[in-house]
Amino acid sequence: MEQVAGEREAEEFTLVARKPYFDLPTACPICLPLFIYLKLAHFPFRLSFNSIFPDSDQIPYVESGTYVAYNNENSGVVECLKKDGIVDLDSEFQSAPDWVLIQAMINSWLADALTYELWVGTDGRSAYKIYYSDLSWPIGKVLFLKQVYSVKQRLGITKDNAEHREDEIYRRAKIAYGALSTKLGEQNFLFDDRPSSLDATFLGHVLVTLHALPDTSVLRSKLLEHDNIVRYAEKLKTELIESGSSSSGPQFRSVPSSSTPRKGPSNWSSKPKSKPKREKTEEEKTFKRRAKYFLAAQLLAVLLFLSMMGGYDSGDLELDDEDEGISFN
């Protein structure tokens, strides 16, 4: 494993994410934590942007040569990087007694709250800008409405329980913020004053909430009640994002509009370095075939969405609201 990791250290790694907005290197709530994770680990990488497949669950992904780790495989990119011995910030923390509880709060309650706020709880302008602003208006608008519909289904929101579910989502977020504020205190990080993947995930959530959501956001107002979390986020934002380029800092590139997710993007300021030709893998061939039918698939999705909206029957999904406060000793 050490030999494999050593060989890969000599290769150039690229993080492919969604585009930057709101003074963030990437405004995507899933991509930003991965960017922060690599920065916290002082791991050298290039940052590239792909806006061709806005609803792809493969983004973000990390690639280097023939190696690629996708968001939708093997529990996500961070777990792949840890399993493959490339970069691991968590080896000394996962046995901590409150690790699992904090992980669950961040990845469940807070993730659901931010998803709700982006797509349902606000006017949706932030979500549209992050995911669909590069698409033509008709397609972007319909895909946005399709995603709103999908989010409501995933969160169990119906016409009958919308108000109850909203209260539940905000209440759980409030509990999570309170518990994490207590855990953090005045430390630099959540655990032993050293960074972990949970810091990356939490910091990504906080920065998107503070910078991408409008001032009228309920979730943003609940976060602002905890001054130590805000200080923690802004301090790390300055150190990791605004401190300027360094030897381990990313170089920014944008994916050309005709490429598929797996292909290497072009550089804003210079031409990409040429690489030796290699035989395409079956995975790459599959992506090339998928790219040919992307537009047709999106149009079909639009038609299916419109037909589903006409025949959608609100279910009786309910969620137990017997959650109690959480504290850390």
Side-chain angles (χ1 to χ4, degrees):
M1 182 66 73
E2 291 181 358
Q3 181 180 358
V4 173
E7 292 174 354
R8 285 176 178 157
E9 283 179 359
E11 299 180 2
E12 180 181 87
F13 282 80
T14 299
L15 166 60
V16 180
R18 295 184 174 91
K19 292 178 68 174
Y21 288 109
F22 313 111
D23 294 325
L24 298 173
T26 169
C28 168
I30 301 175
C31 304
L32 185 57
L34 179 55
F35 173 93
I36 294 171
Y37 180 81
L38 297 176
K39 293 286 284 184
L40 286 172
H42 302 288
F43 187 81
F45 65 98
R46 289 179 176 269
L47 178 62
S48 298
F49 306 113
N50 188 310
S51 56
I52 310 305
F53 297 86
D55 54 354
S56 173
D57 58 0
Q58 293 170 338
I59 299 173
Y61 59 90
V62 169
E63 62 180 354
S64 177
T66 58
Y67 178 84
V68 60
Y70 290 109
N71 175 63
N72 64 340
E73 295 180 356
N74 301 317
S75 300
V77 179
V78 170
E79 290 303 315
C80 287
L81 296 177
K82 291 195 291 186
K83 182 186 69 174
D84 295 334
I86 296 173
V87 56
D88 185 357
L89 290 176
D90 301 338
S91 58
E92 299 180 15
F93 297 128
Q94 289 181 313
S95 60
D98 48 5
W99 175 273
V100 174
L101 180 58
I102 293 176
Q103 185 180 51
M105 283 195 301
I106 295 173
N107 292 336
S108 179
W109 288 4
L110 293 186
D112 285 351
L114 183 54
T115 298
Y116 175 83
E117 199 76 340
L118 279 170
W119 297 99
V120 182
T122 60
D123 58 15
R125 291 181 184 179
S126 297
Y128 187 90
K129 193 170 187 178
I130 294 168
Y131 293 93
Y132 305 118
S133 58
D134 287 329
L135 299 180
S136 61
W137 184 85
I139 294 179
K141 185 63 174 179
V142 174
L143 289 178
F144 170 79
L145 294 174
K146 174 175 173 285
Q147 183 63 21
V148 171
Y149 175 79
S150 176
V151 166
K152 287 183 177 180
Q153 281 194 311
R154 183 170 70 81
L155 295 178
I157 299 172
T158 69
K159 291 181 180 179
D160 295 332
N161 72 358
E163 185 175 350
H164 168 74
R165 286 294 292 121
E166 179 180 89
D167 292 342
E168 184 70 16
I169 288 169
Y170 287 143
R171 186 171 69 82
R172 289 181 169 182
K174 182 178 179 67
I175 293 172
Y177 286 147
L180 289 166
S181 176
T182 301
K183 171 66 177 176
L184 179 64
E186 296 302 323
Q187 299 179 134
N188 292 324
F189 302 103
L190 290 170
F191 291 90
D192 297 335
D193 250 5
R194 291 191 301 173
S196 68
S197 64
L198 294 188
D199 285 290
T201 306
F202 184 43
L203 182 57
H205 168 92
V206 172
L207 290 177
V208 172
T209 301
L210 290 176
H211 294 276
L213 294 180
D215 293 342
T216 55
S217 163
V218 175
L219 184 65
R220 187 173 184 273
S221 67
K222 292 184 181 299
L223 175 59
L224 288 172
E225 294 174 4
H226 303 280
D227 293 339
N228 65 327
I229 294 180
V230 175
R231 289 194 301 271
Y232 154 86
E234 294 302 332
K235 178 178 180 292
L236 289 176
K237 179 175 182 284
T238 300
E239 294 176 357
L240 301 176
I241 299 173
E242 299 173 355
S243 59
S245 59
S246 64
S247 58
S248 62
Q251 301 180 31
F252 299 92
R253 299 187 293 173
S254 179
V255 173
S257 59
S258 60
S259 69
T260 65
R262 181 61 184 87
K263 286 187 177 181
S266 63
N267 198 299
W268 275 354
S269 57
S270 63
K271 294 181 180 180
K273 296 179 181 179
S274 58
K275 294 183 179 180
K277 291 185 177 180
R278 59 179 175 81
E279 184 179 351
K280 292 184 177 179
T281 65
E282 288 301 318
E283 193 173 53
E284 291 175 302
K285 292 177 182 178
T286 300
F287 281 124
K288 191 172 183 63
R289 288 195 297 269
R290 288 178 181 173
K292 293 180 180 179
Y293 301 104
F294 174 70
L295 181 59
Q298 293 299 334
L299 293 176
L300 178 59
V302 169
L303 295 176
L304 288 173
F305 167 69
L306 295 175
S307 64
M308 289 169 66
M309 286 295 291
Y312 176 62
D313 181 19
S314 299
D316 295 326
L317 296 174
E318 293 287 342
L319 195 68
D320 183 10
D321 59 358
E322 295 297 326
D323 297 311
E324 299 180 357
I326 297 174
S327 62
F328 298 102
N329 296 324

